[in-house]
Amino acid sequence: MATKKINVDMLAKMFLAGAQNIEAKKEFINELNVFPVPDGDTGTNMSLTIMAAAKEVTALNNPGMKELAKAISSGSLRGARGNSGVILSQLLRGFTKSIREEKEIDVIALAAACTRARDTAYKAVMKPKEGTILTVASGIAEKASEMAQDTDDLEEFIPAVLDYAKEVLDKTPDMLPVLKEAGVVDSGGQGLVEVLQGAYDAFLGKEIDYSAIKPSEGAPVTKISAEDTADIKFGYCTEFIILTEKEFTEEDEHDFKAYLSSIGDSIVCVADDDVVKIHVHTNDPGLAIQRALTYGQLSRMKIDNMREEHQEKLIREAEKVAAAQAEEAKANEPRKPMGFITVSIGEGLNSIFKELGADYIIEGGQTMNPSTEDMLTAIDAVNADTVFILPNNKNIVLAANQAKALVEEKEIIVIPTKTVPQGITALINFAPDRSAAENEEAMLEEISNVKTGQITYAVRDTKIDDKEIHEGDIMGIGDSGILSVGTDVEATALDMLTHLVDEDSALISLYYGAEVSEEEADAFTEKVTEKYPDVDVDAQFGGQPIYYYVLAVE
């Protein structure tokens, strides 16, 4: 029998299933990133973006289409992280704007929503590039429009659109040579396909595990008071799924529950055909796991230290109180004409930005792209008429611009700094006696003179920029690609500098990371000074993770 309409309840299930699927596949998507760096984050960014919306959806109570659309759009916009997350949020924004006045969705409405999603996302990107998530979104819109003319049956429409999305995804390496060289499809496009696949699975009525979005039904909620953590009798919240290899009988369920009761509490044991969902609080998760293995294979294992979480919760609450007091004090200060928000990570780099006058530092960057919501929180905290944002990462610029578009009471200026050294240069060149527009012009001009190189290690074998790279190799990454590859940190960094330093270079700034000692940094600085005697060399502690050195040449 044909299915011609999707109601609001089904749409909510499909959206949540799409969110769940990308959460489950995020590490696979991360591994598709072209650069084999340890901070590959497309899957993580897309998952965090859609999960922010999913949590808003689960908080709704019997919503209409308009309420559901608002939750998806608002949640994803504010939760958007990284370029891929921002583009996904724009796709969801366009889609939900198209369907919010509908009571039920048919193929015509669905095709129109796919088209508006594509158009909204393309408008949000200043220089759209084919062979990316945008190309996959475009393919979806084209196929949806075509199918809407041929059928009114969603059971025929949806799988045809999904199959075509996969076809377009498979062609992305032919559109972007860098993907072909690395032997991968576009990671953002893969993420979008995973969202559609999850939604289609829900449409078909497949069993979906929504545990990443909300607590399992029937699972107890453990409320921890602000007492000593010794009050927590069993310290580890342990969850997993058993994929049974033989029938899991009522007797098996009774015996296993009895065993879990002997080693813990807060027990949930729910059997459904060949899948058994387990939740237990215990002091020895290994015992629960060992017994479970006698019934079959284990999946979706998750163990959380509740005592540690409790301590972190108390610390966070104390930090919130301190922050609130600081904000109250700041609110009583006169409002400044101009203020600065900068993205940074690492104790040393944070200190440098503070010394240069940054009003608010968002912890993040390479290893964790901050969300649009993080940007909005920072903007609200800076007591200034005009707020400059320094993203310091090319993958954060879109989120900063998205935050700018959501703010009305302050002027927001995003300086598109793509590296930390560019951000430092921008702040150095700020002059309080100039207007905001004059400062923007000066900073844009100065950051264009900064060449950046970063030293890190490869997490997998690949070939890129005509360079053979093996897992564990040291890479020197410049503004537009990998400049050097080796097995030694200092040798690779020196080789990278040969690509950055020219006859006009006057200054080399060196920021050493958390894994480099001061002695090692001093020795490396001497080598750089010897190699470039006519160039000033300045070395400072950055404290950044993952990247041994961040170098800037001006």
Side-chain angles (χ1 to χ4, degrees), residues 28-43:
F28 163 65
I29 297 167
N30 284 342
E31 290 171 4
L32 293 176
N33 282 329
V34 170
F35 287 114
V37 292
D39 60 3
D41 52 13
T42 299

Side-chain angles (χ1 to χ4, degrees), residues 5-6 82 115 122 141 161 243 320 325 331 375 417 419 426 436 470 517:
K5 302 275 189 180
I6 294 174
T115 298
Y122 267 89
V161 172
L243 304 175
K320 282 181 182 177
Q325 292 172 344
M375 298 282 181
T417 50
T419 64
H470 302 285
S517 68

Side-chain angles (χ1 to χ4, degrees), residues 343-345 349 353 392-393 418-425 452 454 511 550:
V343 179
S344 175
I345 189 165
L349 293 173
F353 278 118
N392 302 336
N393 186 305
K418 296 179 180 178
T419 64
V420 165
Q422 284 189 347
I424 291 172
T425 295
T452 305
Q454 303 177 89
Y511 306 95
V550 174

Side-chain angles (χ1 to χ4, degrees), residues 345-356 420-421 424-425 428 507-526 528-529 536-544 547-552 554:
I345 189 165
E347 180 185 345
L349 293 173
N350 292 350
S351 296
I352 292 169
F353 278 118
K354 286 176 184 175
E355 289 168 7
L356 290 173
V420 165
I424 291 172
T425 295
I428 288 173
L507 172 66
I508 298 173
S509 300
L510 183 160
Y511 306 95
Y512 61 95
E515 297 180 42
V516 179
S517 68
E518 185 176 354
E519 292 74 22
E520 290 171 327
D522 288 343
F524 177 59
T525 304
E526 285 184 22
V528 175
T529 303
D536 290 334
V537 180
D538 177 48
Q540 297 189 60
F541 172 62
Q544 68 275 6
Y547 290 82
Y548 302 110
Y549 290 101
V550 174
L551 306 169
E554 300 175 62

Side-chain angles (χ1 to χ4, degrees), residues 440-469:
E440 179 182 12
E441 183 180 354
M443 286 187 280
L444 288 173
E445 181 179 349
E446 291 300 328
I447 66 173
S448 67
N449 298 322
V450 180
K451 291 181 282 188
T452 305
Q454 303 177 89
I455 301 294
T456 187
Y457 58 92
V459 295
R460 68 173 187 273
D461 295 348
T462 190
K463 183 181 178 183
I464 187 170
D465 295 337
D466 293 324
K467 293 179 175 63
E468 290 284 348
I469 300 172

